[in-house]
Every structure is written in C-alpha cells, then in structure tokens.
Amino acid sequence: MSIRSLDLQVLLPHTQEVSRTQRIQQQGPEQQQQEFAAQLEQQVERQQGAVRSTPKGEQALIHERETSTGRGAARQQRKSSKKKEDDLLESLTEPSLGQVIDIKV
C-alpha cells in the first residue's frame, strides 16, 4: 500500500498541525505544574504576610477573663500586694542594720 502523490500533498500540511498539537499536549502537564507551583507560592506569601485572627472560642475566653477581673485590676492588685510586702520588710528590719561594717583581719 503506497501513498499516492495527491494523498501526500494533502497529508504534508497536516503533519505540521499534528506535530504542533502533540508538542502542546506534551508541554501541557509541565506548564500546568509550573502554574500550580506559582499559585501555591503566591498563596504561601499571602498567608505569611496576613495577620492571623484568634479563633472565636479563644476570644470568648479572653473576654471572660477581662470582664471577671476587670482590665488592669489584676495588675493593680499585684502592685498593691508588692508594695505591702515592701512596707512589711522595711518595718521588720532594724534601721541600724547594714550601716556599719565590721572587718576582722
């Protein structure tokens, strides 16, 4: 079975089309993979740059703690207890202690 000249004239232009479509099909998955990698990289960059919000459950716990103790109430309570401790230590120590140093040689 041989190819006639008329058939060859018709088939020759089609070979270029076929080769082009085969090249596109072979490059398709590779190109899709590159596009996917670029999209993934952009998504990672956006996630790293974005500020993460706290989940609603944690927000509720934080809000409950703040409302039960009041903002700054715990801090003031710590300051006042530390001040009381300092006052107590000062009152317990004798004023003459620590003023004179005795050295024996």
Side-chain angles (χ1 to χ4, degrees), residues 35-73:
E35 289 175 6
F36 178 72
Q39 288 176 353
L40 186 63
E41 186 176 328
Q42 289 175 352
Q43 183 179 6
V44 167
E45 287 177 8
R46 272 188 270 138
Q47 287 177 349
Q48 286 177 349
V51 176
R52 293 182 179 92
S53 62
T54 56
K56 291 191 181 218
E58 286 183 34
Q59 286 178 349
L61 289 175
I62 292 170
H63 183 67
E64 285 178 18
R65 271 190 251 141
E66 287 177 351
T67 55
S68 65
T69 60
R71 283 188 183 227

Coordinates of all heavy atoms in Angstrom, one line a residue, residues 35-73:
E35 N 2.4 26.4 36.6 CA 1.4 27.4 37.1 C 0.9 27.1 38.5 O 0.7 28.0 39.3 CB 0.2 27.4 36.1 CG 0.5 28.0 34.7 CD -0.7 27.8 33.7 OE1 -1.7 27.3 34.1 OE2 -0.5 28.2 32.6
F36 N 0.7 25.8 38.8 CA 0.2 25.4 40.1 C 1.3 25.8 41.2 O 0.9 26.3 42.2 CB 0.0 23.9 40.1 CG -0.4 23.4 41.5 CD1 -1.7 23.7 42.0 CD2 0.4 22.6 42.3 CE1 -2.1 23.2 43.2 CE2 0.1 22.2 43.5 CZ -1.2 22.5 44.0
A37 N 2.6 25.6 40.8 CA 3.6 25.9 41.8 C 3.7 27.4 42.0 O 3.9 27.9 43.1 CB 5.0 25.5 41.2
A38 N 3.5 28.2 41.0 CA 3.5 29.7 41.1 C 2.3 30.1 42.0 O 2.4 31.0 42.8 CB 3.4 30.4 39.7
Q39 N 1.1 29.5 41.8 CA -0.1 29.9 42.6 C 0.1 29.5 44.0 O -0.2 30.2 44.9 CB -1.3 29.2 42.0 CG -1.8 29.7 40.7 CD -3.0 28.9 40.2 OE1 -3.4 27.8 40.7 NE2 -3.6 29.4 39.1
L40 N 0.7 28.3 44.2 CA 1.0 27.9 45.6 C 2.0 28.8 46.3 O 1.8 29.2 47.5 CB 1.5 26.5 45.6 CG 1.7 25.8 46.9 CD1 0.4 25.6 47.6 CD2 2.4 24.4 46.7
E41 N 3.0 29.3 45.6 CA 4.0 30.2 46.2 C 3.3 31.5 46.5 O 3.5 32.1 47.6 CB 5.1 30.4 45.2 CG 6.2 31.2 45.7 CD 7.4 31.3 44.7 OE1 7.6 30.4 44.0 OE2 8.1 32.4 44.7
Q42 N 2.4 32.0 45.7 CA 1.7 33.3 45.9 C 0.8 33.1 47.2 O 0.7 34.0 48.0 CB 0.9 33.7 44.7 CG 1.7 34.2 43.6 CD 0.8 34.5 42.4 OE1 -0.4 34.2 42.4 NE2 1.4 35.1 41.3
Q43 N 0.2 32.0 47.3 CA -0.7 31.7 48.4 C 0.1 31.7 49.7 O -0.3 32.3 50.7 CB -1.5 30.4 48.2 CG -2.5 30.1 49.3 CD -3.2 28.8 49.0 OE1 -2.9 28.1 48.1 NE2 -4.2 28.5 49.9
V44 N 1.2 31.1 49.7 CA 2.1 31.0 50.9 C 2.6 32.4 51.3 O 2.6 32.7 52.5 CB 3.3 30.0 50.6 CG1 4.3 30.2 51.7 CG2 2.8 28.6 50.5
E45 N 3.0 33.2 50.3 CA 3.4 34.6 50.6 C 2.3 35.4 51.2 O 2.5 36.1 52.2 CB 3.9 35.2 49.3 CG 5.3 34.7 48.9 CD 5.7 35.4 47.6 OE1 5.0 36.3 47.1 OE2 6.7 34.9 47.0
R46 N 1.0 35.2 50.7 CA -0.1 35.9 51.2 C -0.4 35.5 52.7 O -0.7 36.3 53.5 CB -1.4 35.7 50.4 CG -1.5 36.7 49.3 CD -2.8 36.6 48.6 NE -2.6 35.6 47.5 CZ -3.4 34.7 47.1 NH1 -4.5 34.5 47.7 NH2 -3.0 33.8 46.1
Q47 N -0.3 34.2 52.9 CA -0.6 33.7 54.3 C 0.5 34.2 55.3 O 0.2 34.4 56.4 CB -0.6 32.2 54.3 CG -1.9 31.6 53.6 CD -1.9 30.1 53.6 OE1 -0.9 29.5 53.8 NE2 -3.1 29.6 53.2
Q48 N 1.7 34.3 54.8 CA 2.8 34.7 55.7 C 2.6 36.2 56.0 O 2.9 36.6 57.1 CB 4.2 34.4 55.1 CG 4.6 33.0 55.2 CD 5.9 32.7 54.5 OE1 6.5 33.6 53.8 NE2 6.5 31.6 54.7
G49 N 2.2 37.0 55.1 CA 2.0 38.4 55.3 C 0.7 38.8 56.0 O 0.6 39.9 56.5
A50 N -0.2 37.9 56.0 CA -1.5 38.2 56.6 C -1.5 38.0 58.2 O -0.7 37.2 58.7 CB -2.6 37.3 56.1
V51 N -2.2 38.9 58.9 CA -2.3 38.8 60.3 C -3.4 37.7 60.6 O -4.5 37.8 60.1 CB -2.7 40.1 60.9 CG1 -2.9 40.0 62.4 CG2 -1.7 41.2 60.6
R52 N -3.0 36.8 61.5 CA -3.9 35.7 61.8 C -4.8 36.2 62.9 O -4.4 36.8 63.9 CB -3.2 34.5 62.3 CG -2.4 33.9 61.1 CD -1.7 32.6 61.5 NE -1.0 32.0 60.4 CZ 0.3 32.3 60.2 NH1 1.0 33.1 60.9 NH2 0.9 31.7 59.1
S53 N -6.1 36.0 62.8 CA -7.1 36.3 63.8 C -7.2 35.2 64.8 O -7.1 34.0 64.4 CB -8.4 36.7 63.2 OG -8.9 35.6 62.6
T54 N -7.6 35.5 66.0 CA -7.8 34.4 67.0 C -9.1 33.8 66.8 O -10.1 34.4 66.4 CB -7.7 35.0 68.5 OG1 -8.7 36.0 68.6 CG2 -6.4 35.6 68.8
P55 N -9.2 32.5 67.0 CA -10.5 31.8 66.9 C -11.5 32.4 67.8 O -11.2 32.9 68.9 CB -10.2 30.4 67.2 CG -8.7 30.2 67.0 CD -8.1 31.6 67.3
K56 N -12.8 32.3 67.5 CA -13.9 32.8 68.3 C -13.9 32.2 69.7 O -14.2 32.9 70.6 CB -15.2 32.7 67.6 CG -15.3 33.5 66.4 CD -16.7 33.5 65.8 CE -16.7 34.4 64.6 NZ -17.9 35.2 64.5
G57 N -13.6 31.0 69.8 CA -13.5 30.4 71.2 C -12.5 31.0 72.1 O -12.8 31.3 73.3
E58 N -11.3 31.3 71.6 CA -10.3 31.9 72.4 C -10.7 33.4 72.7 O -10.4 33.9 73.8 CB -9.0 31.9 71.6 CG -8.3 30.6 71.6 CD -7.0 30.6 70.9 OE1 -6.3 31.6 71.0 OE2 -6.6 29.6 70.3
Q59 N -11.3 34.1 71.7 CA -11.8 35.4 72.0 C -12.7 35.5 73.2 O -12.7 36.4 74.0 CB -12.4 36.0 70.8 CG -11.4 36.4 69.7 CD -12.1 36.9 68.4 OE1 -13.3 36.9 68.3 NE2 -11.3 37.5 67.5
A60 N -13.6 34.5 73.2 CA -14.6 34.4 74.3 C -13.9 34.2 75.7 O -14.3 34.9 76.6 CB -15.6 33.3 74.1
L61 N -12.9 33.3 75.7 CA -12.2 33.1 76.9 C -11.4 34.3 77.4 O -11.4 34.7 78.6 CB -11.2 31.9 76.8 CG -11.8 30.5 76.6 CD1 -10.7 29.5 76.3 CD2 -12.6 30.1 77.9
I62 N -10.8 35.0 76.5 CA -10.1 36.2 76.8 C -11.0 37.3 77.3 O -10.8 37.9 78.4 CB -9.3 36.7 75.6 CG1 -8.1 35.8 75.3 CG2 -8.7 38.1 75.9 CD1 -7.5 36.0 74.0
H63 N -12.2 37.4 76.7 CA -13.2 38.4 77.1 C -13.7 38.1 78.5 O -13.9 39.0 79.3 CB -14.3 38.4 76.0 CG -15.3 39.5 76.3 ND1 -15.0 40.8 76.3 CD2 -16.6 39.4 76.7 CE1 -16.1 41.5 76.6 NE2 -17.1 40.6 76.9
E64 N -13.9 36.8 78.8 CA -14.4 36.4 80.1 C -13.4 36.7 81.2 O -13.8 37.3 82.2 CB -14.8 34.9 80.1 CG -16.0 34.5 79.4 CD -16.3 33.0 79.4 OE1 -15.7 32.3 80.3 OE2 -17.1 32.6 78.6
R65 N -12.2 36.5 80.9 CA -11.1 36.8 81.9 C -11.0 38.3 82.2 O -10.9 38.7 83.3 CB -9.8 36.3 81.4 CG -9.5 34.9 81.9 CD -8.1 34.5 81.6 NE -8.1 33.5 80.5 CZ -7.3 33.4 79.5 NH1 -6.3 34.2 79.5 NH2 -7.4 32.5 78.6
E66 N -11.1 39.1 81.1 CA -11.0 40.5 81.2 C -12.2 41.1 82.0 O -12.1 42.0 82.8 CB -10.9 41.2 79.9 CG -9.5 41.0 79.2 CD -9.5 41.6 77.8 OE1 -10.5 42.0 77.3 OE2 -8.4 41.6 77.3
T67 N -13.4 40.6 81.7 CA -14.6 41.1 82.4 C -14.7 40.6 83.8 O -15.2 41.4 84.7 CB -15.9 40.7 81.6 OG1 -15.9 39.3 81.5 CG2 -15.9 41.4 80.3
S68 N -14.2 39.4 84.1 CA -14.3 38.9 85.5 C -13.3 39.7 86.4 O -13.7 40.0 87.6 CB -14.1 37.4 85.6 OG -12.8 37.1 85.2
T69 N -12.1 39.9 86.0 CA -11.2 40.6 86.8 C -11.1 42.1 86.5 O -10.6 42.9 87.3 CB -9.7 40.0 86.6 OG1 -9.4 40.2 85.3 CG2 -9.7 38.6 87.0
G70 N -11.6 42.5 85.4 CA -11.6 43.9 85.0 C -10.2 44.2 84.5 O -9.2 43.6 84.9
R71 N -10.2 45.1 83.5 CA -8.9 45.4 82.9 C -8.0 46.1 83.9 O -8.4 47.1 84.4 CB -9.0 46.2 81.6 CG -9.5 45.5 80.5 CD -9.5 46.3 79.2 NE -10.0 45.6 78.1 CZ -9.5 45.5 77.0 NH1 -8.4 46.2 76.7 NH2 -10.0 44.8 76.0
G72 N -6.8 45.6 84.1 CA -5.9 46.3 85.0 C -6.1 46.0 86.4 O -5.3 46.3 87.2
A73 N -7.2 45.4 86.8 CA -7.5 45.1 88.2 C -6.5 44.2 88.8 O -6.0 44.3 89.9 CB -8.9 44.6 88.4

